[in-house]
Amino acid sequence: MAHVSLPHDAKAGPTKPEVRAVLLSKLDLRPTDHFAEVGSCTGAVTIEAARRAGRVTALERKAERIETTRKNLAANDVTGDVALREAEAPEGVPGDVDVLFIGGSRNYEAVLDHAVETEIDRVVMNVSRLEVAGAATEAFRERDLLEEVVQFQVSHGYELAGATSFNSDNPVYMLVGGTDVVATDGRQR
């Protein structure tokens, strides 16, 4: 995985590198995919997606975060078909998206409804708050989108009194699925 440089900051991000590594595995982006991100913030996920997908659309409702995404894309020499939209989801989500990442919990139920209506193949949502994770899991299930829920936590080592101790990042709940979901028993739904 190529390094992502984020010299421009946004108060709400970015998605940590270790989380992005798992996310990219779950998104399974291909050169023919149109990927959309809801809540681009710093653009970390948008940058990673632009290196893999044929087309990328990044949505952000705050103008200053769209500008942060734009600057970080430039700092990483990202070329290709990347559209930045200052828009609210789901209205700003294109109708021809193959893969969708929901990076924030605002309007997520309406975004999931849009995913079902437009038959988005793969949908992944990251959540950091337990209560939202539970509600979002139910929302995925109710729409027959849920393939799996992954919870993980990353810790980084640091020196303490000549030995190594660890600082833990907050846990992340990753909801994975889509309209082309394969059930856990291997059958297509």
Side-chain angles (χ1 to χ4, degrees):
M1 181 161 64
H3 176 73
V4 172
S5 175
L6 300 170
H8 304 280
D9 192 19
K11 292 178 182 165
T15 302
K16 304 286 190 265
E18 297 84 0
V19 174
R20 290 194 315 265
V22 174
L23 174 62
L24 289 167
S25 170
K26 299 302 181 182
L27 291 171
D28 190 26
L29 294 171
R30 300 175 186 119
T32 57
D33 284 335
H34 181 184
F35 169 81
E37 176 180 15
V38 174
S40 67
C41 198
T42 63
V45 173
T46 301
I47 292 163
E48 297 275 17
R51 293 173 173 167
R52 291 162 179 79
R55 290 173 49 210
V56 174
T57 302
L59 275 74
E60 181 55 66
R61 64 188 180 90
K62 295 184 177 181
E64 64 272 12
R65 289 186 184 168
I66 280 289
E67 189 55 31
T68 299
T69 297
R70 183 180 327 283
K71 289 176 182 177
N72 284 329
L73 284 165
N76 286 273
D77 297 320
V78 172
T79 59
D81 193 353
V82 179
L84 302 180
R85 291 185 177 183
E86 182 183 341
E88 191 77 45
E91 292 81 16
V93 178
D96 65 342
V97 169
D98 302 297
V99 184
L100 178 68
F101 171 59
I102 306 168
S105 58
R106 184 181 176 89
N107 298 336
Y108 74 87
E109 290 188 84
V111 175
L112 293 177
D113 289 338
H114 176 80
V116 170
E117 290 165 12
T118 59
E119 298 181 344
I120 295 176
D121 294 339
R122 295 178 306 283
V123 179
V124 180
M125 179 178 178
N126 284 358
V127 181
S128 60
R129 295 173 292 159
L130 179 62
E131 294 81 3
V132 176
T137 300
E138 285 307 309
F140 267 70
R141 276 194 185 112
E142 289 167 359
R143 290 157 180 83
D144 203 25
L145 292 170
L146 189 66
E147 179 181 344
E148 68 177 326
V149 179
V150 179
Q151 185 276 323
F152 57 99
Q153 183 170 2
V154 175
S155 299
H156 293 269
Y158 67 95
E159 185 179 333
L160 178 66
T164 304
S165 191
F166 287 88
N167 280 327
S168 299
D169 290 341
N170 289 329
V172 173
Y173 303 89
M174 189 175 289
L175 307 168
V176 181
T179 59
D180 194 24
V181 171
V182 175
T184 54
D185 63 4
R187 292 186 321 216
Q188 188 77 25
R189 294 201 274 180

